[in-house]
Amino acid sequence: DDDKEKFDGHMTKSSFAMVPFCKAISSSTLFACFFLTAISAFPMGSTMMRDKRKPTSIIAASSVDDIGRDRASSAASSSLTIGAVQPALRQPSSSPSDAVDHAIELIRRTASLYDGKIDLFVLPELSPIGYSEDTFQHHLPVENSAKADSRLEMYPSIDRSFSRLAKELQCYICYGTIGSVKDCNDDNAKESYTIRQNVMDDDGHLICSYDKMHLCNYGDCAETRFFVPGNQPCSFHCRGFQIGIIICADMRNPSLTRKLASRAHACDVILQPAAFSRDISFRTWTSFRETRAVENSVYFVAVNYAGSNYGNTAFVEPWVDENNEPEVLGMEEGVLVAEVKRDVLERVRREFPYYEQVMSEEWHVG
């Protein structure tokens, strides 16, 4: 009861004008936003916009430096605004270039809606090209295929598109792609492929590439048919906050998130791009993302595809209770715009013992 009282608070609701776009008058807190108008130029279907926000707790506290790393650059960064993009999954009838254009349009319209104040956009696992059999069978960058040249050029082209967009909008963009790895000690080794998440900074530079370390081979997944696991965690600095990346099934390995939260990376936010279908494991997704947030005292942003078999993109604060529930989208295509707050992190880390435990553990940077 004492803890409940400590974290009881209020959230000021934003006002929305519902035609043709919703525009938030207040930028004070968390909300999900969807576009009302159909994007007819793209084959992905229409996009809806609505306000799904409900009152939740706000944690207010003075600035406290809880860990030993330099926070000089973050002193002026009290918050970070993240746009978690939940796009429709590309269908075989649409090309990867169509999907890239559609994702860019979603990001550009959302950035315009919020007057360029979104710091970081995050797309799901393998988005925009799509997590699907069509992608695996027809769009892997296989060198000896009949369409080798076009496939090999497609991925650098995607990188260039998001590089230009990040620089244009002056934001960071985390998007999915397929990575290529090769044993440099073996001249005869064939290239292998990874499920990768890239990050472009606001100058359009590639600053982080993470290859999924724990492949999924249960439920609707059989990733080892096409991919090999990565072997290195990855984090990046974004406007005063340290951001770590895991991909979908990585969340089931607690040591990876723990390492990202510990002194080895000292992350404030964990991004989880996913392609989480509503199979036998879908129900556990809620439990895992909330547990990873609370046990490590970090924000957790889980990003999925839209559609009847997907959905539930979520923004989880570092403390969860009945008065402080995560913000969760439905199954519609849209963007969840939410704010990471420095004072929330510091209050949770001061009031609960979990972060002190994380910081006391020894992990090597890697």
Side-chain angles (χ1 to χ4, degrees):
D1 290 338
D2 290 341
D3 290 339
K4 177 178 177 181
E5 184 176 349
K6 288 177 185 175
F7 289 90
D8 190 22
H10 69 278
M11 176 178 289
T12 305
K13 290 186 176 181
S14 301
S15 300
F16 286 85
M18 295 301 290
V19 289
F21 275 125
C22 296
K23 174 145 184 175
I25 304 302
S26 167
S27 60
S28 58
T29 44
L30 314 174
F31 43 89
C33 70
F34 295 83
F35 299 113
L36 272 175
T37 55
I39 304 177
S40 58
F42 301 97
M44 301 297 174
S46 61
T47 315
M48 298 302 293
M49 184 176 199
R50 59 178 178 171
D51 180 10
K52 283 181 64 69
R53 195 175 47 138
K54 59 182 183 298
T56 56
S57 299
I58 292 295
I59 307 168
S62 58
S63 178
V64 175
D65 187 3
D66 288 312
I67 61 177
R69 66 185 172 91
D70 181 15
R71 291 221 186 262
S73 64
S74 66
S77 301
S78 61
S79 65
L80 182 80
T81 303
I82 297 177
V85 183
Q86 183 171 281
L89 179 63
R90 182 186 66 82
Q91 299 302 307
S93 58
S94 299
S95 70
S97 62
D98 289 335
V100 172
D101 291 343
H102 183 65
I104 288 174
E105 182 68 7
L106 284 173
I107 290 171
R108 185 175 278 122
R109 289 194 179 201
T110 306
S112 176
L113 181 65
Y114 291 99
D115 298 323
K117 294 179 180 179
I118 297 178
D119 301 295
L120 168 65
F121 283 97
V122 188
L123 286 161
E125 179 179 15
L126 290 180
S127 176
I129 56 174
Y131 186 104
S132 67
E133 284 295 314
D134 181 71
T135 293
F136 305 153
Q137 296 288 350
H138 303 295
H139 298 292
L140 291 179
V142 181
E143 291 183 351
N144 61 356
S145 71
K147 298 181 180 180
D149 290 343
S150 61
R151 290 187 187 186
L152 291 172
E153 169 56 23
M154 180 175 71
Y155 292 96
S157 176
I158 291 172
D159 293 338
R160 290 192 295 271
S161 294
F162 283 110
S163 174
R164 289 192 296 268
L165 184 66
K167 189 172 184 179
E168 171 196 334
L169 300 179
Q170 285 295 284
C171 67
Y172 289 61
I173 301 176
C174 178
Y175 62 95
T177 187
I178 292 175
S180 298
V181 294
K182 191 173 184 178
D183 185 353
C184 59
N185 296 318
D186 184 355
D187 293 336
N188 297 317
K190 295 182 179 180
E191 281 204 312
S192 299
Y193 305 105
T194 61
I195 295 175
R196 178 171 292 178
Q197 208 75 14
N198 283 342
V199 180
M200 295 290 180
D201 70 8
D202 50 9
D203 285 325
H205 297 143
L206 179 64
I207 59 169
C208 184
S209 286
Y210 169 67
D211 292 332
K212 186 176 185 178
M213 295 175 64
H214 304 95
L215 299 179
C216 179
N217 278 315
Y218 53 83
D220 289 347
C221 303
E223 293 172 357
T224 55
R225 291 177 299 154
F226 305 101
F227 303 105
V228 297
N231 56 19
Q232 291 292 328
C234 179
S235 66
F236 62 97
H237 199 69
C238 180
R239 298 178 179 175
F241 292 84
Q242 195 69 16
I243 316 292
I245 304 173
I246 65 175
I247 298 176
C248 206
D250 278 334
M251 72 171 182
R252 299 181 186 277
N253 187 296
S255 63
L256 176 56
T257 307
R258 195 72 163 181
K259 185 171 187 175
L260 289 169
S262 74
R263 289 183 183 275
H265 291 264
C267 289
D268 303 303
V269 182
I270 302 296
L271 306 179
Q272 188 211 15
F276 222 121
S277 65
R278 292 179 180 265
D279 61 9
I280 193 171
S281 66
F282 190 82
R283 172 61 182 83
T284 64
W285 189 26
T286 299
S287 303
F288 273 108
R289 63 198 184 200
E290 293 180 11
T291 299
R292 295 292 169 262
V294 171
E295 70 185 0
N296 295 297
S297 297
V298 294
Y299 282 89
F300 196 95
V301 183
V303 190
N304 203 10
Y305 288 95
S308 60
N309 198 40
Y310 296 95
N312 285 29
T313 288
F315 180 85
V316 186
E317 292 195 3
W319 181 256
V320 177
D321 61 24
E322 62 274 19
N323 295 311
N324 204 59
E325 298 285 355
E327 294 297 317
V328 183
L329 299 188
M331 293 180 286
E332 304 92 342
E333 187 174 67
V335 178
L336 173 62
V337 175
E339 193 170 22
V340 171
K341 290 180 173 288
R342 175 68 61 196
D343 58 1
V344 171
L345 281 166
E346 291 169 348
R347 175 72 178 273
V348 169
R349 292 170 175 181
R350 198 170 57 240
E351 295 291 339
F352 296 97
Y354 312 120
Y355 193 67
E356 182 178 349
Q357 294 167 1
V358 173
M359 289 295 107
S360 69
E361 297 172 1
E362 293 295 329
W363 294 87
H364 297 292
V365 176

